[in-house]
Amino acid sequence: MRSCFLTISALFFLAVPSFCQSQNLELRVFDVEGFARSSDDAMVEHWQLPIRTAYRTREEEPAGNDSQGDDVSRADFLVRMIRDSIGPESWDQGGTFMRLNESGSRLMIRQKPDVLSKIERFLKTLATSRRRTFQVEILVVKARVGSLASLGASRYVINGKKFEALRAGKNQGSEILSSATGHAIDGQRIRIRSLEIAHLVGAQSGQIAQSATRTEPNVIKVPRGMDIFVRPSSLPNGSVNLRIQGTLTDDFSLENFESESAGVAAIQLPRMHVRKFTSSGVVAVGDGLVVGCVSSQDENPRFIVVRVTGKVLAAPTLPSIRGLTKVYNAGFLTSPYLGTPAIDLGWTTSGSRLFDSWNKDDPIFSSDRNYFLPETVYDLIRQSVTPRFWEDSLYSLEFLGNQLWVTAGPEQHAGIAKLLNSLSLARGTPMSIASYCLVAKRSIVANLRAQNKTDWLRELLRHPATLRLHSTVGAGETGSRIEWLDGVEFAYVGGAEVDVAQGADIAVPVVEAGFSGFYLRLATCQEGEGFGADFRVQLNYEPNGLTKRTEYKSGDFGFSLPLSDWQQASGHVRLKGGRYTLLAEFGLSDENIALIVTRFLP
């Protein structure tokens, strides 16, 4: 009985390949996980000041991702595309099939060898196009204000040769402090960090039990170094849009605080120089974009240069019985304008904050405004590129993530490529932006204004007695929001929590965070032949770069509180390309005045 079963089984398994051979069909399994899986973006946990964030969280950074895709639906669409485009008549023959596994990562196909070869070639082409990779290079450069200003002639873009010279240390007046390299898929946001994490006893919690007091240390983690986000997106004309969000911190120091209150241990108060910036610029592959803030009071002024290298590949093409199927990268059209959450520059970590109402976001600075929705792109193509073909449903359009899949004829593809290129160019005028916080004598400003020259701000900027307190450079596009922050963040003891119980008392210090420096935010727009910008600016100017303190003592508890003068302004200005425009003006003293000036270079 056993031998009979083996004989029958062997005959059965031998019959399968002979059946396949008679039908001239083969079974292959294709790995499509790379196509089905969405491209995850690096998650931006906090867009706040590092010391403030450390005191607020006191825990590990949250894990996760803010970009999730429907992987199985992407793979299902791939199945439909292959079935309709490659050998469509052959799928009606008996014995052929195409199925996905449950996770959508493997595609099992039983077909003729020539059809399988076509499918394999298309999948390879598609994977290469979708997974095109850019190499992202970041240089942290130490240079004075003059070195940064000299880059204005090239609109703060460094070509490939100059980038190589800068990296090799052949650029006079500049020094490479650090560098980093990463890789990003087209349209994907990556994060490159080079940090030291300082663990310190930054706060205390107290307890009273049975007439005794005790405090327990609360350890906080403060990062210092470089933390940069970059999203490269290829454009139809072969250039690359670079979106950059970054933080540079240095000059980290600690101040010990010891209380005279019984049972309260010493704590450490951190202090560091912080620079934050955002930019959205268009560059050629291989060129570097200059972004950052430089202060005249900073002993280690620095900015960053970001460039991407790699090939921008043509859209893959798939033969179809109804025409040609092409895959277009349209992420730059459908992605939102660059924007970030408002930075909290308040002076406390709990309770009411001085600048809460000032820094709350409003619609004009919203980061979720898309240039086009996918449905709008559909309508534009159907209405402007041979409309009668789409009305007859001869061809198809479908968005998958940032990619537009189009099945159409050569004439339609030529029109679609031209339309997408026009839309990408019209999305927003790319521009380089330089802004300055100038400190000058009132008499000099008055004399230059009295001369009635249109370029008096340029003469003021070049005047030997003018102090360029802060200089910022970056890039943007009309419709986006860009910002810079440059100054010192510090922790200080701003009060005490007193607990009295069971015949004992304890006063635990309350640690708060403050910021002293410069903050500028611009939201740009097109206005006729020129440009406009809504702006917000905050300035705290201390001649020696140190925040003044006032001493306070209550019983056994003594501490010092920061005393700073803040200037704030907001409004809307009209801009002309290449000209200096005055955003705000603040009186610092009887002799000196501060002017916030910006210049757009479209």
Side-chain angles (χ1 to χ4, degrees):
M1 182 70 182
R2 181 179 179 184
S3 61
C4 180
F5 173 78
L6 291 174
T7 302
I8 294 174
S9 300
L11 289 174
F12 174 77
F13 285 110
L14 288 172
V16 174
S18 64
F19 173 78
C20 294
Q21 186 176 7
S22 65
Q23 297 293 322
N24 196 23
L25 301 179
E26 292 183 5
L27 176 64
R28 292 190 195 177
V29 179
F30 296 94
D31 185 350
V32 295
E33 184 174 7
F35 173 80
R37 187 177 64 248
S38 57
S39 301
D40 294 338
D41 283 337
M43 184 175 181
V44 181
E45 292 93 351
H46 306 287
W47 185 247
Q48 296 295 329
L49 298 175
I51 294 178
R52 177 179 304 279
T53 299
Y55 276 99
R56 283 182 176 176
T57 56
R58 300 187 191 179
E59 70 249 2
E60 295 289 339
E61 293 179 349
N65 197 290
D66 61 353
S67 177
Q68 299 293 335
D70 188 350
D71 299 345
V72 177
S73 65
R74 297 176 65 93
D76 285 340
F77 177 76
L78 178 64
V79 170
R80 297 197 305 272
M81 182 64 66
I82 293 175
R83 186 182 295 274
D84 294 342
S85 303
I86 300 179
E89 70 287 346
S90 65
W91 298 101
D92 296 331
Q93 297 180 8
T96 62
F97 67 83
M98 179 164 43
R99 296 176 185 171
L100 284 165
N101 64 351
E102 292 182 359
S103 63
S105 61
R106 298 294 185 271
L107 182 60
M108 296 167 286
I109 302 177
R110 189 179 180 207
Q111 255 289 2
K112 296 178 181 179
D114 60 329
V115 177
L116 290 172
S117 298
K118 292 178 181 179
I119 294 173
E120 182 178 10
R121 286 197 300 272
F122 171 69
L123 290 177
K124 287 182 178 179
T125 304
L126 177 62
T128 302
S129 174
R130 181 175 182 270
R131 293 288 168 177
R132 69 183 67 149
T133 302
F134 291 113
Q135 177 173 289
V136 180
E137 299 175 81
I138 300 175
L139 301 181
V140 179
V141 183
K142 178 180 178 181
R144 294 295 174 183
V145 176
S147 300
L148 189 63
S150 65
L151 297 172
S154 60
R155 285 171 165 74
Y156 304 104
V157 175
I158 298 178
N159 62 35
K161 291 184 178 179
K162 290 185 178 180
F163 186 92
E164 296 295 342
L166 180 63
R167 184 167 57 180
K170 298 179 181 179
N171 192 327
Q172 295 182 354
S174 302
E175 176 187 352
I176 303 300
L177 298 178
S178 63
S179 62
T181 301
H183 293 83
I185 297 172
D186 190 356
Q188 178 190 33
R189 181 175 62 222
I190 65 169
R191 185 177 194 176
I192 300 177
R193 295 192 288 180
S194 178
L195 299 172
E196 291 183 52
I197 307 297
H199 293 75
L200 54 102
V201 179
Q204 297 279 350
S205 58
Q207 294 181 350
I208 297 178
Q210 298 179 356
S211 303
T213 60
R214 188 181 73 171
T215 60
E216 295 181 355
N218 290 332
V219 177
I220 65 170
K221 296 180 292 185
V222 180
R224 60 183 187 269
M226 176 184 71
D227 191 359
I228 309 294
F229 295 87
V230 181
R231 185 196 298 276
S233 299
S234 61
L235 303 182
N237 62 2
S239 58
V240 178
N241 172 250
L242 281 180
R243 293 189 169 191
I244 302 168
Q245 298 168 247
T247 303
L248 293 177
T249 55
D250 58 272
D251 296 336
F252 181 83
S253 61
L254 291 173
E255 175 187 353
N256 292 325
F257 174 83
E258 296 185 7
S259 173
E260 298 177 5
S261 179
V264 179
I267 59 175
Q268 299 168 296
L269 302 177
R271 176 188 180 93
M272 68 170 64
H273 194 122
V274 181
R275 304 170 186 84
K276 298 182 78 71
F277 39 80
T278 63
S279 274
S280 177
V282 177
V283 296
V285 176
D287 289 351
L289 184 64
V290 181
V291 183
C293 322
V294 173
S295 172
S296 61
Q297 295 182 320
D298 188 4
E299 296 181 358
N300 298 297
R302 60 192 66 191
F303 57 89
I304 69 168
V305 183
V306 181
R307 81 161 178 176
V308 296
T309 55
K311 295 182 179 179
V312 178
L313 304 176
T317 302
L318 177 65
S320 171
I321 193 173
R322 296 179 297 165
L324 294 176
T325 298
K326 288 189 177 182
V327 183
Y328 297 91
N329 181 15
F332 187 59
L333 295 176
T334 57
S335 61
Y337 286 103
L338 177 66
T340 57
I343 298 177
D344 183 5
L345 299 182
W347 283 91
T348 64
T349 56
S350 60
S352 62
R353 297 183 178 85
L354 180 60
F355 296 133
D356 256 359
S357 60
W358 173 265
N359 283 299
K360 283 183 178 177
D361 245 344
D362 52 54
I364 201 166
F365 291 121
S366 175
S367 61
D368 59 357
R369 294 181 301 115
N370 295 67
Y371 178 55
F372 280 133
L373 293 174
E375 293 79 6
T376 307
V377 179
Y378 291 152
D379 293 339
L380 287 172
I381 292 176
R382 291 177 182 276
Q383 295 172 13
S384 59
V385 181
T386 56
R388 61 188 180 87
F389 286 92
W390 310 108
E391 292 174 0
D392 295 338
S393 300
L394 296 177
Y395 300 140
S396 64
L397 296 167
E398 186 157 351
F399 259 99
L400 283 180
N402 292 329
Q403 292 182 321
L404 175 63
W405 289 63
V406 182
T407 299
E411 179 186 356
Q412 287 71 39
H413 278 297
I416 291 170
K418 185 176 180 180
L419 175 64
L420 294 179
N421 184 54
S422 299
L423 292 177
S424 66
L425 294 176
R427 170 189 164 109
T429 302
M431 60 187 69
S432 298
I433 304 172
S435 301
Y436 306 91
C437 175
L438 307 177
V439 177
K441 293 187 178 298
R442 292 179 181 270
S443 57
I444 295 175
V445 174
N447 289 336
L448 290 175
R449 275 179 165 159
Q451 296 177 16
N452 247 351
K453 294 182 178 180
T454 57
D455 60 348
W456 71 273
L457 285 172
R458 181 177 182 179
E459 293 190 19
L460 177 64
L461 189 67
R462 297 182 175 183
H463 197 284
T466 299
L467 173 64
R468 297 186 184 185
L469 185 61
H470 298 278
S471 299
T472 69
V473 297
E477 59 175 321
T478 49
S480 65
R481 180 182 74 192
I482 53 179
E483 52 196 337
W484 301 269
L485 179 143
D486 184 16
V488 176
E489 188 189 16
F490 54 89
Y492 64 96
V493 175
E497 292 183 352
V498 181
D499 192 8
V500 179
Q502 301 180 10
D505 61 75
I506 189 172
V508 179
V510 175
V511 179
E512 301 172 350
F515 175 79
S516 175
F518 174 71
Y519 174 66
L520 174 63
R521 182 164 67 177
L522 296 171
T524 60
C525 61
Q526 191 90 31
E527 293 186 353
E529 296 181 356
F531 306 97
D534 290 282
F535 70 89
R536 294 182 179 181
V537 61
Q538 295 182 195
L539 172 66
N540 164 245
Y541 171 61
E542 301 293 344
N544 58 1
L546 299 176
T547 304
K548 299 185 291 290
R549 299 290 187 104
T550 59
E551 301 299 324
Y552 180 80
K553 187 174 180 62
S554 176
D556 295 334
F557 210 85
F559 48 90
S560 60
L561 299 175
L563 178 63
S564 296
D565 296 325
W566 276 92
Q567 287 79 29
Q568 303 174 348
S570 63
H572 180 87
V573 293
R574 293 292 303 272
L575 305 165
K576 289 187 177 181
R579 290 194 177 182
Y580 294 92
T581 302
L582 180 64
L583 300 181
E585 184 177 322
F586 305 115
L588 301 178
S589 65
D590 293 339
E591 294 184 356
N592 294 326
I593 190 172
L595 300 95
I596 312 301
V597 179
T598 191
R599 185 189 186 204
F600 280 36
L601 299 171

